[in-house]
């Protein structure tokens, strides 16, 4: 979880290593075309203050990524305030979970490869390869966990994403 100074958009240094991993992910995965950085807040304080703070925090994360080499054209940032809580705002634990910044892939290039196996030799033969750009609208709703189809990205071999 990305940590911020209390009631500020200043990223706490304990989060730098996590954000450096995000930068590396961008650099090692050119198929990731666009990521939405979404900031959220707990119900503590006014809705207007939380909307502004969550937006500033999302933009702070975006600034960090850009300063460390991520192309700004690959990023968007938006604060949602208290919209879309993922936990109960009536408990301290729930409020802590609701204070978050999410990074969601909204556009990526996906390569699907059809492979046949020779029954005699066991050798693989690529019979079809399709590459497409998939886009989804960023959402303030937490994504449901689903099992993806077998897809590959450039440079990988039949790895499920």
């Amino acid at each position: 979880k990305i940590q911020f100074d209390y009631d500020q958009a200043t990223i706490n240094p304990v989060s730098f290593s996590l954000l450096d991993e995000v930068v590396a992910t961008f650099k090692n995965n050119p198929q990731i075309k666009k990521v939405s950085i979404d900031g959220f807040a707990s119900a503590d304080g006014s809705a207007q203050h939380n909307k502004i703070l969550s937006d500033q925090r999302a933009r702070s994360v975006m600034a960090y990524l850009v300063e460390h080499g991520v192309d700004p054209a690959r990023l968007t940032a938006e604060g949602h305030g208290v919209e879309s809580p993922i936990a109960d705002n009536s408990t301290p634990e729930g409020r802590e979970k609701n204070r978050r910044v999410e990074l969601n892939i909204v556009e990526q290039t996906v390569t699907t490869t059809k492979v046949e196996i020779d029954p005699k030799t066991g050798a693989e033969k690529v019979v079809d390869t399709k590459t497409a750009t998939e886009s989804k609208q960023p959402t303030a709703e937490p994504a449901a966990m689903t099992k993806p189809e077998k897809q590959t990205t450039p440079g990988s071999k039949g790895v499920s994403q």
Side-chain angles (χ1 to χ4, degrees):
K1 182 174 179 176
I2 301 168
Q3 302 290 320
F4 296 89
D5 291 347
Y6 178 76
D7 203 32
Q8 301 293 315
T10 306
I11 299 169
N12 189 302
V14 301
S15 297
F16 292 166
S17 63
L18 173 60
L19 290 171
D20 292 341
E21 288 180 37
V22 173
V23 170
T25 299
F26 271 97
K27 289 180 178 181
N28 295 327
N29 293 280
Q31 71 274 10
I32 299 172
K33 303 298 182 190
K34 182 75 81 173
V35 169
S36 172
I37 303 167
D38 298 295
F40 299 90
S42 70
D44 286 344
S46 74
Q48 180 180 5
H49 174 75
N50 285 329
K51 179 86 166 172
I52 292 167
L53 181 60
S54 64
D55 190 66
Q56 291 171 337
R57 287 179 170 181
R59 292 182 190 287
S60 288
V61 170
M62 182 175 174
Y64 184 97
L65 298 177
V66 170
E67 288 167 10
H68 288 82
V70 177
D71 181 354
R74 295 171 77 186
L75 304 168
T76 63
E78 183 177 2
H80 301 277
V82 298
E83 298 171 18
S84 302
I86 58 171
D88 186 354
N89 268 308
S90 68
T91 68
E93 297 82 13
R95 289 190 294 275
E96 174 62 27
K97 288 179 182 177
N98 289 330
R99 292 182 204 110
R100 68 195 189 280
V101 173
E102 295 180 356
L103 286 80
N104 297 294
I105 298 172
V106 294
E107 185 177 317
Q108 64 182 331
T109 302
V110 176
T111 301
T112 305
T113 303
K114 183 176 180 181
V115 178
E116 290 181 351
I117 308 294
D118 183 309
K120 294 178 183 174
T121 65
E124 293 183 0
K125 177 183 176 186
V126 175
V127 293
D128 189 31
T129 301
K130 295 178 185 174
T131 300
T133 299
E134 291 184 354
S135 298
K136 67 177 181 176
Q137 291 298 320
T139 177
E141 301 287 327
M145 297 300 291
T146 59
K147 186 173 182 179
E149 296 179 29
K150 184 174 182 180
Q151 299 175 332
T152 61
T153 54
S156 66
K157 292 184 175 183
V159 177
S160 294
Q161 292 184 347

